[in-house]
Amino acid sequence: DLNTNANNTNNDNNNKDADNYAPLPYATNQFDMVTCTGTLTYIDPNESNLLREFARIVRSGGIVCYTNRTDKLERWKNAESELLVSEEEGSSGSGSSSGGSSGVWRREESIGPIPYLPGNAEYGKEIEVVIFIYRVL
């Protein structure tokens, strides 16, 4: 059982309330994976370093997975892009140490768009969700 395994780690159940506009209350490289579902809708990427914080708390080789609604993708585009390692850096394995780049992750996959709250008349088929998966370098 995944929940049992997660609760039996040395991390003592790391679910905590956090201020999404402040540094997350975790050590650098503390986790193998971070998931975030349905939260970015409510955060202004111009005022938050949340994606950079996800990358900070995940060890090298770990995964950051989050969802974002299709009506919010454009406003998060810059925040996502500034963390991407360039093709040149990614192929050399140099990560963020090359040429002052701020790239810290590589996109592994994006899934969707897929239905967001299916059957909810408020969202209909106009708003869907995309799942993003990044590997921290």
Side-chain angles (χ1 to χ4, degrees), residues 14 16 24-31 53-59:
N14 280 294
K16 295 180 184 176
L24 294 174
Y26 303 108
T28 299
N29 302 321
Q30 184 170 344
F31 300 103
E53 280 295 292
F54 289 163
R56 179 186 67 78
I57 65 173
V58 172
R59 68 167 175 75

Side-chain angles (χ1 to χ4, degrees), residues 29 76 92:
N29 302 321
W76 280 93
S92 70

Side-chain angles (χ1 to χ4, degrees), residues 2 5 8 12-13 15 17 21-23 34 39 48 50 55-56 62-63 67 73 77 88 96 100 112-113 120 122 128:
L2 186 58
N5 289 337
N8 287 332
D12 297 322
N13 191 0
N15 295 319
D17 290 332
Y21 293 93
V34 167
T39 302
S48 173
L50 189 57
R56 179 186 67 78
I63 297 291
T67 63
L73 295 178
K77 195 173 190 174
E88 201 172 271
S96 61
N120 185 319
E122 182 179 346
E128 295 180 300

